[in-house]
Amino acid sequence: MAAMVAGALRRGSGYGSGGFRCSLRLLAQSLRRFASTLVVAEHEGGFVKPSSLSALAAAEAIAKENKISVLLGGSGPALHKAADHAASSHPLVSEVLLADSEALAHPLAEPWAELLHSVQQKGGYSHVIASSTSFGKNLLPRAAALLDVSPVTDVTAIKEPRIFVRPIYAGNALCTVKYTGEDPCMMSVRSTSFSPNTEAMSETKVAPITQVDLSFLSEGKSKWVNLTSQDTERPDLANARAVVTGGRGLKSAENFKLLEQLAEKLGAAVGATRAAVDAGYVPNDLQVGQTGKIVAPELYMAFGVSGAIQHLAGMRDSKVIVAVNKDADAPIFQVADYGLVADLFEVLDELLKKIPDKK
Ligand SMILES: Cc1cc2nc3c(=O)[nH]c(=O)nc-3n(C[C@H](O)[C@H](O)[C@H](O)COP(=O)(O)OP(=O)(O)OC[C@H]3O[C@@H](n4cnc5c(N)ncnc54)[C@H](O)[C@@H]3O)c2cc1C
C-alpha cells in the first residue's frame, strides 16, 4: 500500500531496468488515458492562491488529458469569487466543487479531511493533489488515513503518473518513488517546482461550478480559536520574487528592522533562520528551511546566515543567492552566486543609503 522507495538517487541520475521501464510505460499510458485529478485549492481575497495554481500545473504534469476538478471550501463572497477564478484558472479544469460552510472557513484538518474523503468517494479520482503548505501538510495525511492510502509528500517532479521525485536528507538527495497503492494517489507538491500556467489562464474556457452536499459534516473535536498575524504590505514569503533573510548574525529584534527597511525598498519579503526565530528576533512564520517555508525567489539575500543544511533545504533553489557573512568559510558561500565577506551592518547601512525608496 505504501509508496515504495524505488531508488535514492543523486540529482540527475538514471532509473530502473529495461523490462521495468517497459511495464511502467504501459501503466503510464493507461493512467494517462484515465487520469482524473482532484486539486485541493486554497484561496485568499477572492483568488486561488499561487501555491494552488502550482498544484494545477502539477496536475497537468500527470497527464496532458487530465480531467481536473478543483475543490474550494470556506464561506462568504470571497469563496464564490475564488470559485470563479478557479473555473477559468487552467484549461484542464473541468469542474469546480464548491463547499460552502462556516465549518470549512478555517484551515482545520478535521472537517476538511471529512470533506475530502466524501468528495473522493463520490468522484473516484485517480489522483488528489494539495500544495505543500501548512494547510496541505496538515490535511493530506488525515484525509489519506480516512481513505486508507499512503500519501506521497513534497513532490518536486512528476516522471510518470505514479512515479515522482521528492527530496530527502534535507534536500541533499532526490528520491524517486513509485506509488503502488490503490486510488487515489494522494500527494503534496512543492509550489516552487511547478510554475503556474499563466499563458493558459488568460484565454481559457470557464468550467462549471457545482455545490458540494455537506450534510455529512459532523461537529468536529477541534475548534478554531483565532488567527494572529501582522498587517504588512510586503509580499507573502512563500511566493515573493525577492527575499531578504537574516540569521543569528543580526543579533537582535531591533536590528531586524534594518532588514525590513531593505525589504521595503526592494519590494521583498523578510525571512529568517531558525536560530533567529528561536532567539526571538522574529516570529516563526518567517522561518525558511527544512522545518520552515520552502522558497525559490528570483533573488535571495542572506545576512548573517551560516548556511546550515536545514536552512539550505528551504532556499537552495532560489535563482540568484547573495550572501553577506564575516566568516569566509561559512557554508552559505558554497551555494551563493554572489558572496561578500564583510560585516553585515556596514553592508546594510550602505545598501539602505544607496537603494532609493520604492515608489
Ligand atoms: C531538525 C532540525 C531542523 C532545522 N530546521 C531549520 C530550518 O528550517 N531553518 C533554519 O534556518 N535552521 C534550521 N535548523 C537549525 C540549523 O541547523 C542552524 O542551527 C540554523 O540555521 C543556524 O542559523 P544561523 O545561520 O542564523 O545561525 P549561526 O549558525 O549561528 O550563524 C550566524 C552567522 O552569522 C555570521 N555573523 C555574525 N555576525 C556577523 C556580522 N556582524 N556580519 C556578518 N556575518 C555575521 C556568523 O559568521 C555566522 O556564520 C534546524 C535544525 C534541526 C536540528
Side-chain angles (χ1 to χ4, degrees), residues 193-216:
S193 303
F194 298 93
S195 305
N197 187 347
T198 44
E199 214 173 286
M201 281 161 64
S202 55
E203 48 177 86
T204 190
K205 62 181 176 32
V206 178
I209 300 173
T210 312
Q211 294 269 355
V212 180
D213 171 20
L214 297 173
S215 50
F216 59 86

PDB file of all heavy atoms in Angstrom, residues 193-216:
ATOM      1  N   SER A 193       8.401  24.102  -7.433  1.00  0.00           N
ATOM      2  CA  SER A 193       8.844  23.218  -8.524  1.00  0.00           C
ATOM      3  C   SER A 193       7.879  23.177  -9.702  1.00  0.00           C
ATOM      4  O   SER A 193       8.184  22.568 -10.731  1.00  0.00           O
ATOM      5  CB  SER A 193       9.015  21.790  -7.992  1.00  0.00           C
ATOM      6  OG  SER A 193       9.913  21.784  -6.931  1.00  0.00           O
ATOM      7  N   PHE A 194       6.696  23.780  -9.578  1.00  0.00           N
ATOM      8  CA  PHE A 194       5.715  23.734 -10.668  1.00  0.00           C
ATOM      9  C   PHE A 194       5.221  25.149 -10.961  1.00  0.00           C
ATOM     10  O   PHE A 194       4.530  25.753 -10.137  1.00  0.00           O
ATOM     11  CB  PHE A 194       4.534  22.830 -10.288  1.00  0.00           C
ATOM     12  CG  PHE A 194       4.921  21.405 -10.044  1.00  0.00           C
ATOM     13  CD1 PHE A 194       5.225  20.970  -8.760  1.00  0.00           C
ATOM     14  CD2 PHE A 194       5.028  20.499 -11.090  1.00  0.00           C
ATOM     15  CE1 PHE A 194       5.610  19.652  -8.516  1.00  0.00           C
ATOM     16  CE2 PHE A 194       5.409  19.188 -10.869  1.00  0.00           C
ATOM     17  CZ  PHE A 194       5.701  18.767  -9.577  1.00  0.00           C
ATOM     18  N   SER A 195       5.588  25.670 -12.125  1.00  0.00           N
ATOM     19  CA  SER A 195       5.186  27.043 -12.447  1.00  0.00           C
ATOM     20  C   SER A 195       3.758  27.059 -12.956  1.00  0.00           C
ATOM     21  O   SER A 195       3.408  26.281 -13.852  1.00  0.00           O
ATOM     22  CB  SER A 195       6.071  27.618 -13.554  1.00  0.00           C
ATOM     23  OG  SER A 195       7.399  27.522 -13.156  1.00  0.00           O
ATOM     24  N   PRO A 196       2.936  27.966 -12.408  1.00  0.00           N
ATOM     25  CA  PRO A 196       1.554  28.061 -12.896  1.00  0.00           C
ATOM     26  C   PRO A 196       1.520  28.394 -14.382  1.00  0.00           C
ATOM     27  O   PRO A 196       2.401  29.105 -14.880  1.00  0.00           O
ATOM     28  CB  PRO A 196       0.969  29.213 -12.085  1.00  0.00           C
ATOM     29  CG  PRO A 196       1.845  29.375 -10.908  1.00  0.00           C
ATOM     30  CD  PRO A 196       3.206  28.899 -11.319  1.00  0.00           C
ATOM     31  N   ASN A 197       0.519  27.876 -15.059  1.00  0.00           N
ATOM     32  CA  ASN A 197       0.372  28.062 -16.496  1.00  0.00           C
ATOM     33  C   ASN A 197      -0.296  29.416 -16.764  1.00  0.00           C
ATOM     34  O   ASN A 197      -1.475  29.488 -17.054  1.00  0.00           O
ATOM     35  CB  ASN A 197      -0.475  26.892 -17.041  1.00  0.00           C
ATOM     36  CG  ASN A 197      -0.552  26.887 -18.527  1.00  0.00           C
ATOM     37  OD1 ASN A 197      -0.183  27.862 -19.175  1.00  0.00           O
ATOM     38  ND2 ASN A 197      -1.028  25.795 -19.077  1.00  0.00           N
ATOM     39  N   THR A 198       0.454  30.481 -16.650  1.00  0.00           N
ATOM     40  CA  THR A 198      -0.133  31.824 -16.746  1.00  0.00           C
ATOM     41  C   THR A 198      -0.671  32.124 -18.145  1.00  0.00           C
ATOM     42  O   THR A 198      -1.650  32.832 -18.303  1.00  0.00           O
ATOM     43  CB  THR A 198       0.902  32.902 -16.385  1.00  0.00           C
ATOM     44  OG1 THR A 198       2.113  32.572 -17.015  1.00  0.00           O
ATOM     45  CG2 THR A 198       1.096  33.014 -14.894  1.00  0.00           C
ATOM     46  N   GLU A 199      -0.024  31.570 -19.154  1.00  0.00           N
ATOM     47  CA  GLU A 199      -0.459  31.816 -20.534  1.00  0.00           C
ATOM     48  C   GLU A 199      -1.883  31.300 -20.750  1.00  0.00           C
ATOM     49  O   GLU A 199      -2.736  31.982 -21.278  1.00  0.00           O
ATOM     50  CB  GLU A 199       0.471  31.077 -21.479  1.00  0.00           C
ATOM     51  CG  GLU A 199       0.693  31.806 -22.774  1.00  0.00           C
ATOM     52  CD  GLU A 199       1.756  31.089 -23.558  1.00  0.00           C
ATOM     53  OE1 GLU A 199       2.932  31.173 -23.210  1.00  0.00           O
ATOM     54  OE2 GLU A 199       1.352  30.413 -24.503  1.00  0.00           O
ATOM     55  N   ALA A 200      -2.082  30.063 -20.234  1.00  0.00           N
ATOM     56  CA  ALA A 200      -3.389  29.441 -20.444  1.00  0.00           C
ATOM     57  C   ALA A 200      -4.492  30.192 -19.700  1.00  0.00           C
ATOM     58  O   ALA A 200      -5.629  30.193 -20.096  1.00  0.00           O
ATOM     59  CB  ALA A 200      -3.352  27.994 -19.968  1.00  0.00           C
ATOM     60  N   MET A 201      -4.130  30.863 -18.609  1.00  0.00           N
ATOM     61  CA  MET A 201      -5.153  31.465 -17.772  1.00  0.00           C
ATOM     62  C   MET A 201      -5.928  32.585 -18.462  1.00  0.00           C
ATOM     63  O   MET A 201      -7.070  32.821 -18.155  1.00  0.00           O
ATOM     64  CB  MET A 201      -4.509  32.031 -16.502  1.00  0.00           C
ATOM     65  CG  MET A 201      -4.224  30.967 -15.480  1.00  0.00           C
ATOM     66  SD  MET A 201      -3.036  31.520 -14.291  1.00  0.00           S
ATOM     67  CE  MET A 201      -3.919  32.839 -13.523  1.00  0.00           C
ATOM     68  N   SER A 202      -5.267  33.284 -19.391  1.00  0.00           N
ATOM     69  CA  SER A 202      -5.922  34.436 -19.994  1.00  0.00           C
ATOM     70  C   SER A 202      -6.968  34.060 -21.040  1.00  0.00           C
ATOM     71  O   SER A 202      -7.920  34.768 -21.249  1.00  0.00           O
ATOM     72  CB  SER A 202      -4.861  35.342 -20.597  1.00  0.00           C
ATOM     73  OG  SER A 202      -4.096  34.586 -21.488  1.00  0.00           O
ATOM     74  N   GLU A 203      -6.810  32.932 -21.687  1.00  0.00           N
ATOM     75  CA  GLU A 203      -7.700  32.631 -22.812  1.00  0.00           C
ATOM     76  C   GLU A 203      -8.391  31.278 -22.646  1.00  0.00           C
ATOM     77  O   GLU A 203      -8.595  30.538 -23.586  1.00  0.00           O
ATOM     78  CB  GLU A 203      -6.870  32.617 -24.103  1.00  0.00           C
ATOM     79  CG  GLU A 203      -5.613  31.798 -23.924  1.00  0.00           C
ATOM     80  CD  GLU A 203      -4.785  31.696 -25.186  1.00  0.00           C
ATOM     81  OE1 GLU A 203      -3.974  32.587 -25.447  1.00  0.00           O
ATOM     82  OE2 GLU A 203      -4.987  30.702 -25.890  1.00  0.00           O
ATOM     83  N   THR A 204      -8.716  30.978 -21.422  1.00  0.00           N
ATOM     84  CA  THR A 204      -9.219  29.635 -21.172  1.00  0.00           C
ATOM     85  C   THR A 204     -10.750  29.588 -21.134  1.00  0.00           C
ATOM     86  O   THR A 204     -11.403  30.618 -20.994  1.00  0.00           O
ATOM     87  CB  THR A 204      -8.625  29.127 -19.849  1.00  0.00           C
ATOM     88  OG1 THR A 204      -8.928  27.762 -19.724  1.00  0.00           O
ATOM     89  CG2 THR A 204      -9.189  29.871 -18.663  1.00  0.00           C
ATOM     90  N   LYS A 205     -11.277  28.375 -21.226  1.00  0.00           N
ATOM     91  CA  LYS A 205     -12.729  28.218 -21.085  1.00  0.00           C
ATOM     92  C   LYS A 205     -13.089  28.258 -19.594  1.00  0.00           C
ATOM     93  O   LYS A 205     -12.234  28.091 -18.730  1.00  0.00           O
ATOM     94  CB  LYS A 205     -13.160  26.896 -21.714  1.00  0.00           C
ATOM     95  CG  LYS A 205     -12.536  25.691 -21.043  1.00  0.00           C
ATOM     96  CD  LYS A 205     -12.996  24.443 -21.745  1.00  0.00           C
ATOM     97  CE  LYS A 205     -12.402  23.163 -21.261  1.00  0.00           C
ATOM     98  NZ  LYS A 205     -12.010  22.910 -19.951  1.00  0.00           N
ATOM     99  N   VAL A 206     -14.380  28.455 -19.319  1.00  0.00           N
ATOM    100  CA  VAL A 206     -14.805  28.544 -17.922  1.00  0.00           C
ATOM    101  C   VAL A 206     -15.504  27.240 -17.525  1.00  0.00           C
ATOM    102  O   VAL A 206     -16.458  26.814 -18.178  1.00  0.00           O
ATOM    103  CB  VAL A 206     -15.758  29.745 -17.724  1.00  0.00           C
ATOM    104  CG1 VAL A 206     -16.245  29.816 -16.289  1.00  0.00           C
ATOM    105  CG2 VAL A 206     -15.042  31.032 -18.110  1.00  0.00           C
ATOM    106  N   ALA A 207     -15.013  26.614 -16.462  1.00  0.00           N
ATOM    107  CA  ALA A 207     -15.571  25.329 -16.018  1.00  0.00           C
ATOM    108  C   ALA A 207     -16.816  25.564 -15.159  1.00  0.00           C
ATOM    109  O   ALA A 207     -16.941  26.606 -14.513  1.00  0.00           O
ATOM    110  CB  ALA A 207     -14.519  24.578 -15.211  1.00  0.00           C
ATOM    111  N   PRO A 208     -17.734  24.587 -15.144  1.00  0.00           N
ATOM    112  CA  PRO A 208     -18.929  24.741 -14.298  1.00  0.00           C
ATOM    113  C   PRO A 208     -18.586  24.650 -12.807  1.00  0.00           C
ATOM    114  O   PRO A 208     -17.618  23.999 -12.426  1.00  0.00           O
ATOM    115  CB  PRO A 208     -19.810  23.558 -14.722  1.00  0.00           C
ATOM    116  CG  PRO A 208     -18.889  22.572 -15.330  1.00  0.00           C
ATOM    117  CD  PRO A 208     -17.733  23.340 -15.908  1.00  0.00           C
ATOM    118  N   ILE A 209     -19.399  25.343 -12.002  1.00  0.00           N
ATOM    119  CA  ILE A 209     -19.193  25.315 -10.546  1.00  0.00           C
ATOM    120  C   ILE A 209     -20.339  24.538  -9.909  1.00  0.00           C
ATOM    121  O   ILE A 209     -21.511  24.834 -10.160  1.00  0.00           O
ATOM    122  CB  ILE A 209     -19.149  26.756  -9.980  1.00  0.00           C
ATOM    123  CG1 ILE A 209     -17.987  27.531 -10.621  1.00  0.00           C
ATOM    124  CG2 ILE A 209     -19.015  26.740  -8.456  1.00  0.00           C
ATOM    125  CD1 ILE A 209     -17.951  29.010 -10.275  1.00  0.00           C
ATOM    126  N   THR A 210     -20.007  23.519  -9.135  1.00  0.00           N
ATOM    127  CA  THR A 210     -21.032  22.664  -8.523  1.00  0.00           C
ATOM    128  C   THR A 210     -20.934  22.753  -7.000  1.00  0.00           C
ATOM    129  O   THR A 210     -19.841  22.676  -6.451  1.00  0.00           O
ATOM    130  CB  THR A 210     -20.786  21.180  -8.925  1.00  0.00           C
ATOM    131  OG1 THR A 210     -20.577  21.126 -10.319  1.00  0.00           O
ATOM    132  CG2 THR A 210     -21.943  20.281  -8.539  1.00  0.00           C
ATOM    133  N   GLN A 211     -22.077  22.910  -6.355  1.00  0.00           N
ATOM    134  CA  GLN A 211     -22.098  22.944  -4.883  1.00  0.00           C
ATOM    135  C   GLN A 211     -21.954  21.512  -4.342  1.00  0.00           C
ATOM    136  O   GLN A 211     -22.602  20.592  -4.840  1.00  0.00           O
ATOM    137  CB  GLN A 211     -23.447  23.502  -4.393  1.00  0.00           C
ATOM    138  CG  GLN A 211     -23.689  24.946  -4.744  1.00  0.00           C
ATOM    139  CD  GLN A 211     -23.188  25.908  -3.653  1.00  0.00           C
ATOM    140  OE1 GLN A 211     -22.735  25.485  -2.600  1.00  0.00           O
ATOM    141  NE2 GLN A 211     -23.275  27.201  -3.940  1.00  0.00           N
ATOM    142  N   VAL A 212     -21.140  21.352  -3.319  1.00  0.00           N
ATOM    143  CA  VAL A 212     -20.978  20.029  -2.702  1.00  0.00           C
ATOM    144  C   VAL A 212     -22.018  19.879  -1.581  1.00  0.00           C
ATOM    145  O   VAL A 212     -22.217  20.797  -0.783  1.00  0.00           O
ATOM    146  CB  VAL A 212     -19.562  19.889  -2.093  1.00  0.00           C
ATOM    147  CG1 VAL A 212     -19.365  18.525  -1.458  1.00  0.00           C
ATOM    148  CG2 VAL A 212     -18.492  20.155  -3.148  1.00  0.00           C
ATOM    149  N   ASP A 213     -22.663  18.715  -1.542  1.00  0.00           N
ATOM    150  CA  ASP A 213     -23.604  18.430  -0.448  1.00  0.00           C
ATOM    151  C   ASP A 213     -22.777  18.185   0.818  1.00  0.00           C
ATOM    152  O   ASP A 213     -21.921  17.293   0.851  1.00  0.00           O
ATOM    153  CB  ASP A 213     -24.416  17.187  -0.820  1.00  0.00           C
ATOM    154  CG  ASP A 213     -25.248  16.705   0.357  1.00  0.00           C
ATOM    155  OD1 ASP A 213     -25.481  17.512   1.280  1.00  0.00           O
ATOM    156  OD2 ASP A 213     -25.642  15.518   0.353  1.00  0.00           O
ATOM    157  N   LEU A 214     -23.025  18.985   1.857  1.00  0.00           N
ATOM    158  CA  LEU A 214     -22.201  18.898   3.064  1.00  0.00           C
ATOM    159  C   LEU A 214     -22.970  18.328   4.259  1.00  0.00           C
ATOM    160  O   LEU A 214     -22.571  18.512   5.405  1.00  0.00           O
ATOM    161  CB  LEU A 214     -21.672  20.296   3.418  1.00  0.00           C
ATOM    162  CG  LEU A 214     -20.741  20.922   2.373  1.00  0.00           C
ATOM    163  CD1 LEU A 214     -20.413  22.359   2.738  1.00  0.00           C
ATOM    164  CD2 LEU A 214     -19.456  20.114   2.246  1.00  0.00           C
ATOM    165  N   SER A 215     -24.064  17.613   3.993  1.00  0.00           N
ATOM    166  CA  SER A 215     -24.893  17.113   5.092  1.00  0.00           C
ATOM    167  C   SER A 215     -24.124  16.127   5.988  1.00  0.00           C
ATOM    168  O   SER A 215     -24.482  15.919   7.136  1.00  0.00           O
ATOM    169  CB  SER A 215     -26.159  16.457   4.535  1.00  0.00           C
ATOM    170  OG  SER A 215     -25.794  15.534   3.539  1.00  0.00           O
ATOM    171  N   PHE A 216     -23.053  15.547   5.465  1.00  0.00           N
ATOM    172  CA  PHE A 216     -22.290  14.549   6.234  1.00  0.00           C
ATOM    173  C   PHE A 216     -21.378  15.201   7.284  1.00  0.00           C
ATOM    174  O   PHE A 216     -20.883  14.535   8.172  1.00  0.00           O
ATOM    175  CB  PHE A 216     -21.408  13.730   5.275  1.00  0.00           C
ATOM    176  CG  PHE A 216     -20.441  14.581   4.518  1.00  0.00           C
ATOM    177  CD1 PHE A 216     -19.213  14.911   5.059  1.00  0.00           C
ATOM    178  CD2 PHE A 216     -20.779  15.100   3.275  1.00  0.00           C
ATOM    179  CE1 PHE A 216     -18.335  15.730   4.376  1.00  0.00           C
ATOM    180  CE2 PHE A 216     -19.912  15.916   2.593  1.00  0.00           C
ATOM    181  CZ  PHE A 216     -18.685  16.237   3.146  1.00  0.00           C
TER     182      PHE A 216
END
